[in-house]
Amino acid sequence: MPGARHLTVVLLTAIWIVSACASVAPAAQTTPPVPLATGSGASPTAEPPSDPPAPVTAAPTVHLPTVEPSRAPVPTATTQPTAPEPTELEAQPNLVFLEFVVEEDPVLVGNLATLTATAVNIGSADAGPFIVEIVLTTVGQADLVLESKAVEGLAVGDSTVLTTSINPNEAAEMRLVARVDVIDQVSEEDESDNQKVLEITVKSLGNINVPADGFTVTAHPDSPGTYLFYFTLVNTGPSTLVAPISV
């Protein structure tokens, strides 16, 4: 039958085309074709799948920051500091007292006593002008300057002498101080040794006695029966007596 032969050819052609497309296209889930009865005259069609596959989306591209590898610092050549060369100390004078003495021993009330202060420059340079003095210090009172002298200068190793005298009028403890560079005119190696202290004890060593003719009795010329008594006291001791005495 010509009509049936023609339908068979068309059907075979369609099957071949579908087979060719299946071999070329990527594998996918499809519904197999439904065979048609011979001589039906209907054209074969492929029904779409009931659940189409979900579209495949590509994962987003994440750009990570580029991290440079850490590198150890490269040491650079440095110039080593050099220690400063020692410098010579500036030469300076240094004024001190070689001695501060009293010539009399003991120091007695009413007697003169001589004080001698000797200042010397033991530094490494000559000293310029300065003042040297001797003062009497008493607790609760201002210092009493007994003697003062201005010195024009003093070479290294040289000395200057200051003398004064005292005549104490009572027995007491005396504190005397010799000072050099009194108003800090000289810049010295050591400013803490510019004075020397002298402490002395003033003694009263009187000796009261009556001489051989120191006691006489005579009649009063204007009053008979009245007599006059003459009493003489002599201090033969080494010190002046200034305290009151009773006779």
Side-chain angles (χ1 to χ4, degrees), residues 13 27 79 126 137 146 162 173 232:
T13 302
T79 303
D126 296 344
T137 65
L146 303 179
L162 179 64
E173 298 291 333
T232 303

Side-chain angles (χ1 to χ4, degrees), residues 10-24:
V10 172
L11 182 58
L12 293 175
T13 302
I15 292 173
W16 179 82
I17 293 173
V18 172
S19 300
C21 290
S23 62
V24 174

Side-chain angles (χ1 to χ4, degrees), residues 6-241:
H6 177 72
L7 179 58
T8 302
V9 173
V10 172
L11 182 58
L12 293 175
T13 302
I15 292 173
W16 179 82
I17 293 173
V18 172
S19 300
C21 290
S23 62
V24 174
Q29 183 178 358
T30 59
T31 302
V34 180
L36 298 178
T38 302
S40 63
S43 299
T45 57
E47 295 182 2
S50 58
D51 294 324
V56 179
T57 57
T61 303
V62 179
H63 297 281
L64 298 177
T66 303
V67 179
E68 293 290 338
S70 59
R71 298 180 180 179
V74 180
T76 58
T78 58
T79 303
Q80 296 295 330
T82 57
E85 295 183 359
T87 57
E88 295 184 1
L89 296 177
E90 180 182 357
Q92 290 181 306
N94 193 26
L95 302 172
V96 300
F97 281 99
L98 183 62
E99 64 177 4
F100 182 30
V101 296
V102 58
E103 295 181 5
E104 288 72 23
D105 185 23
V107 177
L108 302 176
V109 174
N111 290 1
L112 288 178
T114 302
L115 306 173
T116 303
T118 304
V120 61
N121 180 8
I122 63 171
S124 54
D126 296 344
F130 60 90
I131 296 174
V132 60
E133 67 180 12
I134 297 175
V135 301
L136 172 65
T137 65
T138 304
V139 177
Q141 300 180 18
D143 292 347
L144 175 63
V145 179
L146 303 179
E147 192 70 37
S148 178
K149 180 176 74 171
V151 181
E152 293 299 324
L154 201 62
V156 175
D158 285 354
S159 61
T160 183
V161 178
L162 179 64
T163 61
T164 190
S165 296
I166 59 174
N167 185 8
N169 57 11
E170 63 180 350
E173 298 291 333
M174 301 183 67
R175 186 176 188 271
L176 302 137
V177 181
R179 296 170 178 164
V180 65
D181 194 22
V182 178
I183 58 175
D184 293 329
Q185 296 172 269
V186 180
S187 178
E188 302 181 61
E189 294 176 357
D190 187 354
E191 300 285 355
S192 65
D193 55 2
N194 284 358
Q195 71 176 28
K196 194 173 182 65
V197 177
L198 174 64
E199 294 182 343
I200 60 176
T201 300
V202 179
K203 298 180 180 180
S204 178
L205 299 179
N207 184 26
I208 303 299
N209 62 74
V210 180
D213 58 351
F215 182 65
T216 59
V217 180
T218 60
H220 196 286
D222 299 329
S223 179
T226 302
Y227 298 91
L228 300 176
F229 295 85
Y230 295 93
F231 189 71
T232 303
L233 297 178
V234 177
N235 179 14
T236 60
S239 175
T240 302
L241 293 178

